Short mmCIF file of all heavy atoms in Angstrom, two decimals:
data_model
loop_
_atom_site.label_atom_id
_atom_site.label_comp_id
_atom_site.label_asym_id
_atom_site.label_seq_id
_atom_site.Cartn_x
_atom_site.Cartn_y
_atom_site.Cartn_z
N LEU P 4 1.44 74.74 7.07
CA LEU P 4 0.81 76.03 7.28
C LEU P 4 1.58 76.91 8.26
O LEU P 4 1.03 77.81 8.87
CB LEU P 4 -0.63 75.83 7.75
CG LEU P 4 -1.53 75.24 6.67
CD1 LEU P 4 -2.96 75.21 7.12
CD2 LEU P 4 -1.40 76.00 5.37
N LYS P 123 -7.89 58.63 13.10
CA LYS P 123 -6.66 57.86 13.13
C LYS P 123 -6.62 57.00 11.87
O LYS P 123 -7.67 56.74 11.27
CB LYS P 123 -6.59 56.99 14.38
CG LYS P 123 -7.62 55.87 14.44
CD LYS P 123 -7.35 54.97 15.63
CE LYS P 123 -8.33 53.83 15.82
NZ LYS P 123 -8.61 52.98 14.71
N ALA P 146 -19.22 68.23 9.94
CA ALA P 146 -18.96 69.45 9.16
C ALA P 146 -20.24 70.27 9.06
O ALA P 146 -20.27 71.47 9.33
CB ALA P 146 -18.42 69.10 7.78
N ILE P 197 -1.37 83.14 4.38
CA ILE P 197 -0.43 83.79 3.47
C ILE P 197 0.21 82.82 2.48
O ILE P 197 0.58 83.18 1.37
CB ILE P 197 0.64 84.58 4.28
CG1 ILE P 197 1.46 85.47 3.36
CG2 ILE P 197 1.54 83.65 5.05
CD1 ILE P 197 0.62 86.55 2.70
N ALA P 203 -0.16 81.25 -5.32
CA ALA P 203 -0.81 81.63 -6.58
C ALA P 203 -0.05 82.79 -7.25
O ALA P 203 0.19 82.76 -8.46
CB ALA P 203 -2.26 82.02 -6.31
N ASN P 225 -27.44 73.47 -30.02
CA ASN P 225 -27.62 74.92 -30.19
C ASN P 225 -26.38 75.72 -29.81
O ASN P 225 -26.47 76.94 -29.63
CB ASN P 225 -28.80 75.40 -29.35
CG ASN P 225 -30.11 74.75 -29.79
OD1 ASN P 225 -30.27 74.46 -30.99
ND2 ASN P 225 -30.99 74.48 -28.85
N ARG P 402 12.31 71.48 -10.31
CA ARG P 402 11.43 72.63 -10.09
C ARG P 402 12.04 73.60 -9.09
O ARG P 402 12.90 73.23 -8.29
CB ARG P 402 10.08 72.16 -9.52
CG ARG P 402 9.45 71.00 -10.25
CD ARG P 402 8.84 71.40 -11.57
NE ARG P 402 8.45 70.21 -12.33
CZ ARG P 402 7.84 70.25 -13.51
NH1 ARG P 402 7.56 71.41 -14.08
NH2 ARG P 402 7.54 69.15 -14.14
N LEU P 417 18.77 69.72 10.09
CA LEU P 417 18.70 68.40 9.46
C LEU P 417 17.71 67.46 10.15
O LEU P 417 17.43 66.37 9.66
CB LEU P 417 20.08 67.75 9.42
CG LEU P 417 21.00 68.26 8.30
CD1 LEU P 417 22.36 67.61 8.37
CD2 LEU P 417 20.37 68.05 6.92
N ASN P 425 9.11 71.24 0.82
CA ASN P 425 8.77 72.40 0.00
C ASN P 425 8.70 71.98 -1.48
O ASN P 425 7.75 72.31 -2.19
CB ASN P 425 9.82 73.49 0.20
CG ASN P 425 9.37 74.82 -0.39
OD1 ASN P 425 8.52 74.86 -1.28
ND2 ASN P 425 9.93 75.91 0.11
N ILE P 473 -6.89 46.27 -3.76
CA ILE P 473 -6.04 45.97 -4.93
C ILE P 473 -4.57 46.04 -4.53
O ILE P 473 -3.76 45.26 -5.03
CB ILE P 473 -6.39 46.88 -6.14
CG1 ILE P 473 -5.77 46.31 -7.44
CG2 ILE P 473 -5.90 48.31 -6.00
CD1 ILE P 473 -6.40 45.06 -7.94
N LYS P 508 -10.20 53.24 -25.09
CA LYS P 508 -9.34 52.12 -24.69
C LYS P 508 -8.04 52.63 -24.12
O LYS P 508 -7.55 53.69 -24.51
CB LYS P 508 -9.09 51.21 -25.89
CG LYS P 508 -10.38 50.56 -26.38
CD LYS P 508 -10.13 49.30 -27.15
CE LYS P 508 -11.44 48.52 -27.28
NZ LYS P 508 -11.22 47.20 -27.83
N GLU P 551 6.48 45.98 -26.62
CA GLU P 551 5.18 46.28 -27.23
C GLU P 551 4.24 45.08 -27.18
O GLU P 551 3.02 45.24 -27.24
CB GLU P 551 5.37 46.69 -28.71
CG GLU P 551 6.05 48.03 -28.90
CD GLU P 551 7.52 48.03 -28.47
OE1 GLU P 551 8.18 46.98 -28.64
OE2 GLU P 551 7.99 49.05 -27.94
N SER P 569 -14.69 36.00 -25.61
CA SER P 569 -14.56 36.21 -27.06
C SER P 569 -13.25 36.91 -27.42
O SER P 569 -12.84 36.93 -28.57
CB SER P 569 -15.73 37.06 -27.55
OG SER P 569 -15.76 38.29 -26.84
N SER P 571 -9.19 37.87 -27.54
CA SER P 571 -7.95 37.11 -27.63
C SER P 571 -7.08 37.40 -26.41
O SER P 571 -6.13 36.69 -26.11
CB SER P 571 -7.20 37.47 -28.91
OG SER P 571 -6.90 38.86 -28.89
N ASP P 573 -6.33 37.68 -22.35
CA ASP P 573 -6.73 36.83 -21.25
C ASP P 573 -6.50 37.57 -19.95
O ASP P 573 -6.02 37.01 -18.97
CB ASP P 573 -5.93 35.52 -21.30
CG ASP P 573 -6.56 34.47 -20.40
OD1 ASP P 573 -7.77 34.58 -20.12
OD2 ASP P 573 -5.84 33.56 -19.98
N LEU P 585 -9.82 37.98 -1.74
CA LEU P 585 -10.77 37.84 -0.63
C LEU P 585 -11.12 36.37 -0.37
O LEU P 585 -11.33 35.97 0.77
CB LEU P 585 -12.06 38.63 -0.93
CG LEU P 585 -11.91 40.15 -0.88
CD1 LEU P 585 -13.19 40.82 -1.37
CD2 LEU P 585 -11.57 40.63 0.53
#
Side-chain angles (χ1 to χ4, degrees):
Chain P
L4 292 187
K123 67 173 178 51
I197 191 64
N225 298 327
R402 312 285 170 177
L417 281 178
N425 192 337
I473 195 71
K508 296 203 165 189
E551 291 68 34
S569 58
S571 60
D573 195 23
L585 289 173

